[in-house]
Amino acid sequence: MKGDRFEELILPHLDDAYTLARYLLRDEHDAQDVVQDAALRAFKYFNSFRDGDPRAWFMVIVRNCCMTWRRRHHIDTMTVPYADDHLSAVGESPSADAAAIEQSDRAALARVVGALPVEFREVIVLRELQGLSYTQISEVVGVPVGTVMSRLSRARKRLAGALGIGAEEAS
């Protein structure tokens, strides 16, 4: 049955879809809306899915929905900041200090990733946060594997520079 197979193959990737959409759109509510739209589209066209990687297939749909949303809403990629609004206050204790430093590091990384141009941001998120292979990223983004590798390299260099670490530490 279509619904059972869809649930088995696609629904486990909703968190990854949200992560990608959140980084591409830089807004949690917009990301939720886009993932919902992407899931509906995936269900509608699930009969067109053939053997292959369901995660990559769904990420293509999510990415396309994000790009359509960005065009419709004329998102300026250089002026909309990425923010983690869910960061909580930290109490006073030695372990709280370590947690605060870790949280600060995560927030700094999220800001730096959020500031990358979209073509670099999407490959970093797909590779480093979601663990997709170069081939899967190529399929999702719609560019050759060599371009994926080049974008990842350039994105890593930008991240390293923005975070003040050496390029050899970033790879």
Side-chain angles (χ1 to χ4, degrees):
M1 182 169 216
K2 176 182 173 180
D4 293 339
R5 190 161 183 255
F6 180 83
E7 284 183 27
E8 177 187 333
L9 296 176
I10 303 301
L11 293 187
H13 306 297
L14 285 176
D15 287 342
D16 289 344
Y18 174 75
T19 300
L20 176 61
R22 176 81 190 261
Y23 273 97
L24 292 179
L25 300 176
R26 300 180 181 157
D27 181 88
E28 69 179 280
H29 301 293
D30 295 338
Q32 290 169 354
D33 291 345
V34 166
V35 169
Q36 183 176 16
D37 182 46
L40 290 171
R41 288 174 190 247
F43 185 74
K44 180 178 180 181
Y45 296 104
F46 192 65
N47 291 335
S48 70
F49 174 70
R50 299 292 176 240
D51 292 329
D53 184 352
R55 183 180 185 199
W57 182 79
F58 186 46
M59 291 302 125
V60 169
I61 295 169
V62 172
R63 180 185 181 271
N64 290 342
C65 287
C66 286
M67 296 307 162
T68 299
W69 190 96
R70 290 170 60 86
R71 277 191 302 274
R72 279 192 203 137
H73 293 89
H74 306 290
I75 294 296
D76 180 357
T77 60
M78 299 310 289
T79 60
V80 180
Y82 178 88
D84 262 340
D85 299 328
H86 65 280
L87 299 177
S88 60
V90 178
E92 297 293 323
S93 74
S95 62
D97 289 343
I101 291 169
E102 184 179 328
Q103 192 172 47
S104 174
D105 289 347
R106 276 195 310 260
L109 182 59
R111 277 192 303 277
V112 172
V113 170
L116 289 173
V118 72
E119 66 270 8
F120 296 152
R121 191 175 342 126
E122 67 187 358
V123 295
I124 282 290
V125 169
L126 291 169
R127 178 69 183 155
E128 303 302 340
L129 297 180
Q130 298 180 350
L132 268 65
S133 70
Y134 293 158
T135 304
Q136 290 170 318
I137 296 169
S138 170
E139 188 179 323
V140 171
V141 178
V143 297
V145 172
T147 303
V148 169
M149 294 168 67
S150 172
R151 287 181 182 177
L152 275 169
S153 175
R154 292 169 61 196
R156 288 175 178 147
K157 285 179 185 174
R158 286 186 181 205
L159 287 174
L163 294 171
I165 58 176
E168 62 281 346
E169 292 177 60
S171 23

